[in-house]
Amino acid sequence: MNKITLIAGARPNFIKIAPIIHALNKNRERSNISYRLVHTGQHFDEKMSHTFFKQLNIPEPDVNLNCGGGTQAEQTAAIMIAFEKELLEHPADLVLVVGDVTSTMACTIVAKKNNIKVAHVEAGIRSYDMSMPEEINRLVTDSITDYFFTTTLWAGRNLLQSGVREDRIFFVGNVMIDTLFSNRSKFVKPEFWDSLNLKPKGYFVLTLHRPANVDGAHNLKVLLSEIINNVQGLPILFPIHPRTLKVLQEAKIDAPNLHIIEPLGYLEFNYLVENALGVITDSGGITEETTVMGIPCITLRDSTERPETIELGTNELIGTNPNAIRPALEKLFNNQWKIGTIPEKWDGNAAERIIKQLILLNKKN
């Protein structure tokens, strides 16, 4: 496994890939492993520019397959066709995928059909909600993966229950937290901080992207109204996707404390999160970061693939009923929010463990 192809399809993937690249570079002489970074282009993000890669201290991708847009099926097909050509032109001994986006599943299928081994970083996490495209991506990827790198013991148990051999599961920790720790001292105050007169612990960060929450103007209006009416007038910072912005404009919500902002760079966004009174979200990854930073997190979902953020961390899953928002915020304002702990091996060294294991696997093969 001297030649590894690293796959990233969306912004969160690069956050997870970054520490793996750093660990590969650090261990290059000892490991004799070379790598090629492939961006499938699944998500187009203007913030995913030279500045983004510079912030994470990683090289620009070796290639961008430009497979953005289209339906789930169209995008999956486009990625598979383009990645097969990429593999034929640049053969690999191992394809390493991260997370649970469409690119993760599509590139795994292509690699296995070309008799190339696959390693899945963040394997085994499950929401058991088949309405989530990500859950299907996880199940398909893990059903044909060769090496499973897990963030928690929960994830490992999920894999064992599905029939994965124990000697193929490696509990390494969370690479997303590696990136958080290595960049925490570099977080940058956003340009609008002073103009909005923001103060530490004096505002909320809001992120919403799941279709059930943002695709309908009525649903979005009800959710936002409930949040706006129960934050005691504190500013709400809402980095918004253009598609969601259109729905928001249809909803005609006008509140002086709701600040719609463009998507931020990694360092700016996490500066906001670290200094917030709380985060309200329907994301999964953010709940991991808030857990490590000790920030109260309210998740507007009915299920989560990251139970450790609830069992151990600062996250509370309150469902999608808007009526649950007020009690959760009252609990936060009354200083009754739980004090979380950091899950095992979320210590900034997950990528080093992954590379160490790959070196050992290399020696065996």
Side-chain angles (χ1 to χ4, degrees), residues 31 44 93 109 112 119 131 149 196 222 240 248 262 279 312 351:
S31 68
F44 174 75
D93 302 310
I109 293 171
K112 293 302 294 178
S131 70
F149 294 106
L196 294 181
V222 171
I240 198 165
L248 184 64
E262 292 184 356
V279 171
L312 303 173

Side-chain angles (χ1 to χ4, degrees), residues 17-299:
I17 282 285
I20 296 172
I21 289 176
H22 298 154
L24 280 168
N25 289 339
K26 180 180 174 183
N27 293 280
R28 180 168 292 175
E29 290 184 14
R30 184 166 67 95
S31 68
N32 196 30
I33 295 174
S34 62
Y35 66 86
R36 182 171 170 82
L37 178 58
V38 174
H39 182 6
T40 67
Q42 178 183 331
H43 290 167
F44 174 75
D45 183 350
E46 288 186 4
K47 294 291 181 184
M48 183 73 79
S49 61
H50 178 70
T51 302
F52 181 83
F53 296 112
K54 188 176 180 182
Q55 283 191 349
L56 295 180
N57 192 28
I58 58 174
E60 298 270 352
D62 292 288
V63 64
N64 187 330
L65 303 182
N66 294 306
C67 295
T71 65
Q72 290 271 338
E74 289 169 337
Q75 192 169 74
T76 302
I79 293 168
M80 291 179 71
I81 292 168
F83 185 54
E84 184 175 59
K85 291 178 182 176
E86 158 68 22
L87 272 185
L88 290 174
E89 292 174 9
H90 302 278
D93 302 310
L94 178 76
V95 170
L96 186 145
V97 297
V98 297
D100 51 23
V101 298
T102 299
S103 299
T104 304
M105 175 189 70
C107 291
T108 297
I109 293 171
V110 170
K112 293 302 294 178
K113 281 182 173 285
N114 283 274
N115 296 314
I116 298 170
K117 291 188 180 297
V118 174
H120 184 199
V121 174
E122 207 179 75
I125 65 173
R126 298 287 183 269
S127 68
Y128 299 102
D129 179 358
M130 293 300 286
S131 70
M132 292 177 63
E134 296 92 341
E135 185 70 1
I136 296 166
N137 295 340
R138 295 175 198 127
L139 289 167
V140 173
T141 299
D142 284 341
S143 69
I144 54 177
T145 286
D146 296 282
Y147 308 116
F148 304 81
F149 294 106
T150 61
T151 57
T152 64
L153 294 173
W154 275 282
R157 285 194 289 269
N158 290 336
L159 292 167
L160 288 171
Q161 288 168 6
S162 68
V164 175
R165 281 170 31 192
E166 189 170 4
D167 63 351
R168 297 204 168 189
I169 302 170
F170 308 101
F171 174 32
V172 294
N174 193 329
V175 289
M176 198 165 181
I177 303 308
D178 288 12
T179 297
L180 183 72
F181 280 157
S182 64
N183 288 281
R184 198 169 184 179
S185 63
K186 299 180 244 177
F187 290 169
V188 177
K189 185 188 295 185
E191 291 180 1
F192 54 76
W193 179 274
D194 294 325
S195 62
L196 294 181
N197 197 30
L198 298 177
K199 306 292 182 187
K201 309 305 175 189
Y203 61 89
F204 285 87
V205 173
L206 171 67
T207 77
L208 296 173
H209 73 282
R210 298 200 177 275
N213 289 332
V214 304
D215 277 4
H218 175 72
N219 279 356
L220 185 59
K221 185 171 185 176
V222 171
L223 274 178
L224 287 179
S225 296
E226 199 65 24
I227 294 167
I228 290 164
N229 292 335
N230 288 287
V231 293
Q232 299 187 8
L234 290 180
I236 303 166
L237 283 300
F238 187 4
I240 198 165
H241 187 280
R243 185 167 59 88
T244 306
L245 181 58
K246 289 180 183 177
V247 180
L248 184 64
Q249 289 167 341
E250 288 177 32
K252 296 180 180 177
I253 293 176
D254 184 20
N257 64 327
L258 179 64
H259 302 286
I260 305 301
I261 56 177
E262 292 184 356
L264 297 167
Y266 179 83
L267 300 179
E268 292 84 0
F269 178 74
N270 279 290
Y271 182 97
L272 273 189
V273 171
E274 186 174 41
N275 288 284
L277 179 62
V279 171
I280 304 169
T281 188
D282 60 8
S283 169
I286 291 172
T287 67
E288 296 176 323
E289 293 168 327
T290 53
T291 281
V292 170
M293 290 191 276
I295 306 299
C297 185
I298 299 170
T299 298

